[in-house]
């Protein structure tokens, strides 16, 4: 099994280029199956989740050609509405096949999705949406099955602005009869990227990026070319790495309007952030002020950057509080950070972070963003760290060790 060996203490300097967003690429790959003709996707990150989703749709009969960061998908040879059971369990986003196949075929079947172990992760809101559109839903022994003679648009209020449920309902409604209105919808940029792709395919969608999305179903969609938006979470992780190591890094290929909540927090802590057209420069070598952070749906502070900013908060002068409101079990990195000397106390959904000096240790990754936090901590830990189970990290960061090495970190991947 692979691991990272990191010798902490180097300041990061230089330029790092951010890849396309994983969480936009996944639903957009699924959406290509709605079309009658091939699509060509650009800036697709090369990640295990992406490869697994491509393999799922390949096994469903689609012709999928991956070449570097481009993926060409021809859905004309699709021959089943069912996903491979074992592969589908490997990633959360396999559930987007449900919305797509229901719209295209009136039938869909998949195993309950996997993904990071960060909470209960129910899909009740997805199923509520499919039912409202007229689908019969059955859930037996971990297999979800959907059937509908015809999907008919409806008004759907989401109890919580779930990203996955909003996306899945949008996918299904894009080819339903009549109008669907999703109220209290998610506003995440990745959802907007999907809506933009669906729109160029011929879908009629209004309001993506607001909490009310209106979809007028159409009879058919055409494959198109599309470039995926930059990954705001990868960008945020490198911005925090620059701040943490008291470095000076230009993070290229970032849409700064997508990370306003992080920029605001870094400013509040006393860091220097320069926003430019093609990216953002982060530098800082003074003392850092403590701040409180509360994770929220977009445009609030992203839960996917919670573990990373926690590491930065160990380096401030005072005490900070992080409140995690999105996931119920997203403090699993805390025990590992404590092994590195972090002074953190958990109280329910809140973490109290006090100033501490970190030192190298042997630590184990429990989920994707927890892994990113451990890599960051190792960059400033005194001495050497060994980070195990890095396959979790590789689900969301393409070549993280090469990028950090390029900025001056002492990091290597060992088999
Ligand atoms: C997406 O997950 C992302 N994953 C997650 O990123 C991210 O943490 C999350 O959105 C929030 O931003 C992908 O895009 C593939 P949700 P998703 O549905 O869609 C509850 C990463 O690190 N909920 O918005 O699964 C749920 O339990 C990953 O890249 C229900 O109760 O998130 C959670 O508490 C991890 N019922 C909250 O909503 C439902 O039917 C947010 O979930 C669905 C969700």
């Amino acid at each position: 099994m692979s691991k990272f060996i990191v010798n902490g203490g180097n300041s990061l300097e230089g330029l790092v280029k951010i890849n396309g967003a994983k969480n936009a690429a996944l639903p957009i790959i699924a959406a290509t199956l709605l079309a009658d003709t091939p699509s060509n996707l650009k800036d697709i990150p090369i990640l295990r989740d992406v490869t697994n989703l491509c393999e799922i749709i390949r096994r469903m009969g689609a012709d999928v050609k991956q070449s570097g960061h481009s993926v060409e998908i021809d859905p004309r040879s699709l021959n089943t509405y069912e996903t491979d059971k074992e592969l589908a369990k490997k990633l959360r986003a396999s559930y987007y096949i449900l919305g797509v196949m229901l719209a295209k075929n009136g039938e869909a079947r998949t195993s309950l999705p996997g993904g990071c172990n960060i909470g209960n992760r129910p899909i009740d809101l997805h199923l509520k949406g499919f039912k409202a559109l007229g689908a019969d839903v059955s859930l037996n022994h971990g297999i979800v099955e959907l059937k509908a003679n015809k999907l008919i648009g409806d008004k759907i209020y989401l109890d919580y602005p779930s990203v996955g449920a909003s996306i899945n309902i949008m996918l299904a409604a894009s080819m339903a009869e009549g109008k669907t209105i999703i109220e209290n919808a998610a506003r995440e940029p990745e959802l907007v990227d999907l809506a933009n792709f669906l729109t160029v395919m011929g879908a009629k969608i209004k309001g993506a990026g607001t909490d009310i999305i209106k979809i007028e179903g159409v009879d058919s969609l055409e494959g198109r070319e599309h470039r995926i938006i930059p990954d705001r979470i990868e960008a945020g992780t490198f911005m925090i790495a620059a701040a943490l190591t008291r470095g000076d890094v230009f993070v290229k290929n970032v849409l700064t309007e997508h990370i306003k909540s992080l920029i605001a927090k870094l400013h509040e802590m006393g860091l220097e952030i320069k926003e430019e057209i093609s990216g953002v420069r982060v530098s800082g070598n003074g003392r850092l002020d403590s701040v409180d952070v509360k994770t929220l749906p977009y445009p609030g502070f992203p839960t996917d950057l919670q573990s990373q900013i926690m590491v930065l908060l160990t380096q401030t002068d005072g005490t900070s509080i992080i409140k995690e409101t999105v996931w119920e079990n997203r403090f699993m990195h805390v025990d590992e950070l404590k092994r590195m000397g972090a002074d953190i106390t958990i109280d329910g959904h809140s973490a109290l972070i006090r100033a501490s000096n970190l030192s190298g240790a042997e630590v184990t990754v429990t989920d994707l963003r927890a892994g990113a936090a451990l890599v960051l901590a190792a960059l400033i830990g005194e001495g050497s760290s060994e980070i195990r189970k890095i396959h979790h990290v590789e689900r969301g960061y393409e070549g993280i060790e090469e990028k950090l090495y390029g900025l001056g970190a002492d990091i290597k991947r060992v088999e």
Side-chain angles (χ1 to χ4, degrees), residues 22-23 95 122-125 162-164 304 326-327 330 369:
K22 164 180 85 84
N23 290 344
Y95 57 31
I123 60 163
D124 56 308
L125 297 173
S162 152
V163 180
D304 294 346
V326 178
W327 295 111
R330 217 176 195 186
R369 306 301 170 188

Side-chain angles (χ1 to χ4, degrees), residues 22-24 26-27 49 92-93 95-96 116 118-127 160-165 167 186 188 190 232-233 297 303-304 325-328 330 368-369:
K22 164 180 85 84
N23 290 344
L26 294 168
D49 277 9
R92 187 81 186 149
Y95 57 31
Y96 293 138
C116 288
I118 50 181
N120 201 5
R121 307 199 83 172
I123 60 163
D124 56 308
L125 297 173
H126 303 234
L127 302 183
Y160 185 91
S162 152
V163 180
I167 286 180
E188 268 68 2
E190 294 75 20
R232 63 193 165 103
I233 306 300
T303 171
D304 294 346
T325 76
V326 178
W327 295 111
E328 60 204 15
R330 217 176 195 186
L368 165 56
R369 306 301 170 188

